[in-house]
Amino acid sequence: MAMRPVLAASGLVVALSLGACQDAGFSAAGSARAREPIPQKTVALMATKNMSPRDPILIRAFKKESEMEVWKRGADGQYALLKTFPICRWSGQLGPKVREGDRQAPEGFYPISMGQMNPNSSYYLSFDTGYPNAFDRANGRTGSYLMVHGTCSSAGCFAMTDEAIAEIYAIAREAFAGGQRAFQFQSYPFRMTAQNLAKFRNDPHIAFWKNLKEGSDYFEALHEEPRVGVCGTRYVFGGSDAAAGACTPKVDPVVVAKRQKDEVEVAELIAKGTPATRLVYQDGGQHPFFRETAPSTQLFAERAPPRPNLGIVSRPEALAAAPEEIMIEPKVKPVLLAKIDPKHEKGKHGAVKPTALAFAAPATNPAPIPTREAAETAAPAAPITVASADGDPSAYRKLLGNLFGGAPAAPPVAAVALPAADTTPVAAISPAAPLPKKLMGHPHPVAHAATASVKVDAKADAKVDGLNPAAAKKAEAKPAEPKPAGKSGEAKTGEKAPEAGKRTEAPHHNRVAASQPAN
């Protein structure tokens, strides 16, 4: 029997070494900690902001800045910032959690209900973020026990100090007592500012982060909790229509104005030469407040030095080094259109021919033009998924043209390649050029070209050297004047005898045929 406590203790040590966020332990003092009141300084701060302890709350976390914000809804129905807490430890890199064991702290929008609060946590107190949510499952992400807890140790969690998690837990507890069924936990890689978006514009996660910014814009513009839905593999944000499952919820004009302002600012920063970078951590980060050389800031002035006891700190050697900043170049650089070369060969009418457009890898053998019969007998193409939210298939008709019938397609225009980070990948389109106008009406161009040549020659007989058809008929009606015949088998001086087997044609026929445009 005496061995059981020892085995239990050893099992807890193993759990701590394998994953600091697997909060399966039990604390006998947990129930007492969970009943601690909100500090009086914080209650007084609420009063100055026209808030009460039982008003609803919303929490936001930022990895790069290592800060966690607690917002409260005031009497006017809008949320206002109550307090900001320094994050003692988070692990991994900037970016979402993808799979079990990657040490990534989650990024996204998570509802926290009363059942996710753990008053008996082995890490003082904690609440489970609810990862993976519907969005994470739709993207095939795995993992569990991702929490916000005390003790400065993290393997995919947001680790606060014991004092900080005690205060956050008490604020949340009172909000639940006031009738809030769940509060929203928003987790971001960094603050969604124009400066950060310009800096991280070429990061592999930028598309996901821009999706998160849509929810951040809603909250920051309206100071209302956004309703969150999942459409396919994307978040959608809005009001009641987003909560009802609409994939294209209405966007408030105030939110639209904020997004446009940020986009203009991002473009200006890029134009001024803001470099595209990526931060690489050894294993997450920590707020400077907890470093011995960092002075206490006004933001956390309520907690005077000496700094609180951090308890177990995970991987302190990884915290000693600052993150490495790596410059990221776009995968595809923009290619400019070639200018007209004045030295280029001129056409027959004296016009200068433009040079071809520059491509990264021009095709040496262009694809043959398909005929109507080949198109009709070919296997049907796979359906193309429209990337836009409104699901407009007509956009692809505009891109492909009426290739196999209907109105003739416009001649193909080479597109300029854009940076991969600034565009969303689209489905590849067949490089075959659309049919020219004449070929679409005549599936057999060779046969028709021969017929057209015969017709042109017949007309040319009637109209050459400035003669009109009437004059030509009169010329044919007059008998030819007899000429003195030479000796048999001899030719006139200066004339060549026609070669055997070749048809003798008038030279004006060749001139007329050469002036016809090729099909």
Side-chain angles (χ1 to χ4, degrees), residues 366-370 400 403 409-412 430-436:
I369 299 176
L400 295 176
L403 187 59
S430 173
L435 292 176

Side-chain angles (χ1 to χ4, degrees), residues 36 51 68 122 126 133 164 244 378 401 515:
E36 288 290 327
M51 305 171 182
M68 186 170 291
S122 57
S126 67
N133 60 11
S515 64

Side-chain angles (χ1 to χ4, degrees), residues 1 14 37 40 62 71 76 82 103 152 179 221 263 295 314 326 332 334 344 361 436 486:
M1 298 294 291
V14 172
Q40 287 300 317
F62 305 94
W71 293 65
D76 58 355
L82 172 64
R103 296 184 66 84
C152 194
E263 290 172 0
S314 61
I326 299 176
V332 179
H344 197 278

